[in-house]
Amino acid sequence: MPDPETAQPATHSAPALTTLQRLWRFGIAGVLGFVVDAGVLYLLAPWLGWYGARVLSFWAAATATWLFNRHYTFADGAARGGSALWREYGTYLVAMLGGAAVNYAAYALTLHFMPPAAWVPLLGVAIGSIAGMGVNFVSARWFIFRAKD
């Protein structure tokens, strides 16, 4: 609704979130990312194998979590469109590489040491996601979505 004095749309900035609130929302994004990751992994594994499909499934999950995090977890520090939006996306993917390395290593170790079973890759995605979450939260909070002061 427009502001009657300025004839401009009213803007309501949301109150700043605490670190705990951000961590909770980051966890929700992680659950969403886990669902995307596992779904894409099982969809692509027949063609790319469990290791190759995991690369693309992680990319799909990182894209989903970026979208969620920029709108809900770190909206106060998110880019506002144009080339800044794509730069933010690219920077997010690069920043997630540390967490991706931890994630993929945990996934590969799970596949290597567990007996072959249809549910083992899903367990590997879960273990990898948890292992990489801390690294990714720090990267997202302090390097990608740092509030513009």
Side-chain angles (χ1 to χ4, degrees):
M1 180 168 194
D3 181 343
E5 293 186 25
T6 64
Q8 297 293 323
T11 57
H12 302 285
S13 60
L17 297 173
T18 66
T19 299
L20 186 59
Q21 288 170 319
R22 288 184 199 278
L23 190 56
W24 175 250
R25 289 181 184 195
F26 195 81
I28 293 170
V31 170
L32 170 68
F34 173 79
V35 170
V36 170
D37 200 340
V40 171
L41 175 67
Y42 277 83
L43 182 70
L44 296 179
W47 294 281
L48 301 175
W50 291 114
Y51 294 98
R54 189 60 178 28
V55 172
L56 292 179
S57 71
F58 183 86
W59 172 72
T63 300
T65 60
W66 170 71
L67 287 168
F68 183 92
N69 283 324
R70 76 176 316 275
H71 288 290
Y72 300 106
T73 309
F74 304 110
D76 56 340
R80 296 292 172 229
S83 64
L85 181 69
W86 289 107
R87 190 170 28 259
E88 177 189 278
Y89 175 64
T91 304
Y92 181 84
L93 291 178
V94 169
M96 296 299 108
L97 289 177
V102 171
N103 186 323
Y104 195 87
Y107 171 80
L109 288 170
T110 303
L111 264 59
H112 181 75
F113 287 108
M114 293 294 293
W119 55 269
V120 170
L122 186 62
L123 177 65
V125 170
I127 292 170
S129 296
I130 292 167
M133 182 179 168
V135 174
N136 287 342
F137 179 78
V138 169
S139 295
R141 174 67 180 106
W142 297 108
F143 301 116
I144 308 304
F145 298 113
R146 188 174 198 105
K148 316 302 188 263
D149 295 325

